[in-house]
Amino acid sequence: MKNLNTRSLIDLLKKTHNAEWEATPSSVDAIAWLDGLLQFLFPSNHLPKSSAYEGILKKNQIDLENILLSYLEPSGIDIDDVVDKFYHSLEGIYQDLRHDANKINEYDPASHSVNEVIVSYPGFYAIAVYRIANRLVRLGIPVLPRILSEYAHGKTGVDIHPNAAIGVPFMIDHGTGIVIGATSVIGQNVSIYQGVTLGALQVAKNLALTKRHPTVEDNVIIYARTTILGGDTVIGKNSVIGGSVFLTRSVEPNSQVFNTHQLRIVQKDSQD
């Protein structure tokens, strides 16, 4: 076997890696920070001593500050201000998530308690990570929110872009295969089941700043495997969208939309 000349490859990797490390936070650090924050908000391993809460929160705050300092230029963004604003909004995020968990518990007959929803439901976990990531997006933080949302996507099968706007409360039941695009707007008291897609009619880079994904108004239920596409598509309030529906146009408020596909069941002759 001939000796391989690896110098050019190594030089390329060094150059590329250095540039990417300067512009990207560590995914390991980001996930550790997220896990620490969720454990603080919703303890599952053990309950901290009363005197420990403040110290845990302070450490988490320092961890976020260090992550942001690792890839953002302080001259371009006031990191101290961003971190301060994020933690000042944390109580609001927590209260929103309690409302989300209460709704899931109220409407899911398989749930026995709000705590069961919080500690075991993948839909709630996906919503929790979304609300944290979305707050970072609104504070102007790049890259980090997407790392968090894709981590949740991998754990739960629920793909919520952190740029989406989602009201409170919000319920995801089961969750696997749900896709909520970046410019989706979802109102209050909306329920979505597994396999639902809120997507775009067109995928083109020049549409990046265009509203490409649907608007779902208040009190809407969207059942499993339904696909709703288009930035001009609006699902009116109090509507019910049945399973396996494909929509590319708006629906008036108080509508019921169902797939009319007919299922035939034929009984075989016992001698066949």
Side-chain angles (χ1 to χ4, degrees):
M1 184 176 178
K2 295 181 179 180
N3 292 329
L4 296 176
N5 181 6
T6 59
R7 177 50 53 192
S8 62
L9 173 60
I10 291 173
D11 289 343
L12 174 62
L13 291 177
K14 285 181 177 179
K15 181 179 179 181
T16 305
H17 291 170
N18 285 337
E20 289 175 345
W21 271 86
E22 290 175 357
T24 308
S26 162
S27 59
V28 173
D29 291 346
I31 292 165
W33 170 78
L34 173 67
D35 288 344
L37 181 59
L38 290 174
Q39 177 64 26
F40 173 75
L41 295 176
F42 305 104
S44 58
N45 297 331
H46 62 275
L47 189 64
K49 295 180 180 179
S50 297
S51 59
Y53 277 91
E54 192 169 326
I56 294 170
L57 184 60
K58 183 63 178 177
K59 179 185 181 303
N60 192 261
Q61 184 174 344
I62 293 170
D63 288 344
L64 177 59
E65 186 174 354
N66 286 335
I67 289 170
L68 298 182
L69 285 169
S70 73
Y71 77 106
L72 296 178
E73 289 292 339
S75 59
I77 185 169
D78 189 335
I79 291 175
D80 288 339
D81 182 60
V82 165
V83 171
D84 187 59
K85 286 180 177 176
F86 176 82
Y87 285 93
H88 271 89
S89 68
L90 194 57
E91 182 175 352
I93 293 172
Y94 176 75
Q95 295 292 354
D96 288 348
L97 289 172
R98 296 297 307 195
H99 289 307
D100 296 327
N102 286 333
K103 178 175 172 61
I104 294 171
N105 179 60
E106 180 181 355
Y107 285 92
D108 183 3
S111 171
H112 295 91
S113 68
V114 173
N115 186 59
E116 181 182 3
V117 169
I118 290 171
V119 301
S120 66
Y121 273 45
F124 176 77
Y125 183 88
I127 295 169
V129 176
Y130 157 76
R131 296 213 183 278
I132 291 168
N134 176 256
R135 179 57 180 153
L136 293 171
V137 164
R138 290 188 286 119
L139 288 170
I141 301 300
V143 188
L144 177 60
R146 197 64 188 271
I147 290 175
L148 302 181
S149 64
E150 289 305 320
Y151 175 66
H153 181 194
K155 282 178 66 74
T156 66
V158 178
D159 184 359
I160 307 177
H161 197 288
N163 285 54
I166 302 178
V168 180
F170 180 51
M171 184 182 89
I172 289 176
D173 196 2
H174 300 294
T176 305
I178 285 176
V179 177
I180 300 175
T183 62
S184 300
V185 177
I186 298 176
Q188 298 177 338
N189 202 39
V190 170
S191 301
I192 292 182
Y193 289 76
Q194 69 271 19
V196 168
T197 295
L198 302 182
L201 275 170
Q202 300 179 60
V203 181
K205 197 66 175 178
N206 62 358
L207 298 176
L209 300 179
T210 303
K211 188 179 186 308
R212 308 179 303 282
H213 305 93
T215 295
V216 178
E217 295 184 344
D218 297 347
N219 308 314
V220 169
I221 301 174
I222 306 175
Y223 283 105
R225 297 180 303 281
T226 283
T227 297
I228 304 173
L229 304 179
D232 295 328
T233 303
V234 178
I235 307 302
K237 63 182 180 180
N238 306 316
S239 293
V240 176
I241 312 299
S244 300
V245 169
F246 187 89
L247 274 175
T248 58
R249 61 188 179 90
S250 295
V251 171
E252 293 294 322
N254 306 301
S255 296
Q256 294 186 352
V257 181
F258 298 102
N259 196 325
T260 58
H261 175 76
Q262 293 184 345
L263 178 68
R264 294 181 62 208
I265 300 177
V266 178
Q267 185 70 42
K268 292 178 62 177
D269 190 297
S270 60
Q271 295 179 349
D272 291 344

